[in-house]
Amino acid sequence: MDDCIFCRIVEGKIPARKVYEDEHVLAFHDIAPQAPVHVLVIPKVHVRSIMELEDEGLAGKIVTGIRNVARELNLDEKGFRVVNNMGQDGGQTVFHIHFHLLGGRTLTWPPG
Ligand code: 5GP
Ligand code: ZN
């Protein structure tokens, strides 16, 4: 999709600090980090939100990508948080599905 920032990152038209990539999934550092580690994990194909993520195979590949990123960034022992914001009340601002992987400090609960 031409007007989607994350599709443009996948295409290499907008730069991003990539941390992980495989055939289906890309992960890169968030431009406005909310924790010492704040990475966005996205499918390479355009899917608007979790409500449109109907391909269960792709959903599984995203989860595998999240695990691989966590291992690569050494978060797997201490832990981390995965967040998906959906729609207006969820606080979604980019309408290409993405999973925030947050870590590197003890995270508080509940979120705001
Ligand atoms: P949302 O609010 O939709 O859950 O999260 C969107 C996230 O994308 C935000 O945390 C925001 O900082 C991040 N973001 C927006 N534009 C860019 C960009 O051009 N590059 C990167 N790396 N992150 C972005
Ligand atoms: Zn997109």
Side-chain angles (χ1 to χ4, degrees), residues 46-86:
H46 185 84
V47 175
R48 185 178 160 80
S49 83
I50 201 164
M51 296 309 294
E52 284 82 26
L53 184 61
E54 284 164 0
D55 180 341
E56 292 178 1
L58 182 58
K61 284 172 177 125
I62 295 169
V63 173
T64 300
I66 289 169
R67 273 202 305 278
N68 288 335
V69 172
R71 282 197 201 99
E72 209 146 294
L73 299 179
N74 296 312
L75 296 172
D76 49 327
E77 280 196 10
K78 281 197 133 182
F80 56 91
R81 183 171 294 163
V82 177
V83 173
N84 172 252
N85 297 325
M86 191 275 149

Side-chain angles (χ1 to χ4, degrees), residues 1-11 42-48 94-97:
M1 262 189 95
D2 278 355
D3 59 349
C4 170
I5 336 170
F6 288 178
C7 281
R8 291 179 73 82
I9 287 175
V10 170
E11 292 160 4
I42 70 168
K44 288 185 170 178
V45 294
H46 185 84
V47 175
R48 185 178 160 80
V94 176
F95 289 86
H96 178 131
I97 190 173

Side-chain angles (χ1 to χ4, degrees), residues 17-36:
R17 288 172 57 214
K18 293 181 188 176
V19 293
Y20 171 84
E21 183 166 15
D22 64 31
E23 194 186 339
H24 304 281
V25 172
L26 178 67
F28 50 92
H29 289 281
D30 196 293
I31 206 167
Q34 302 302 312

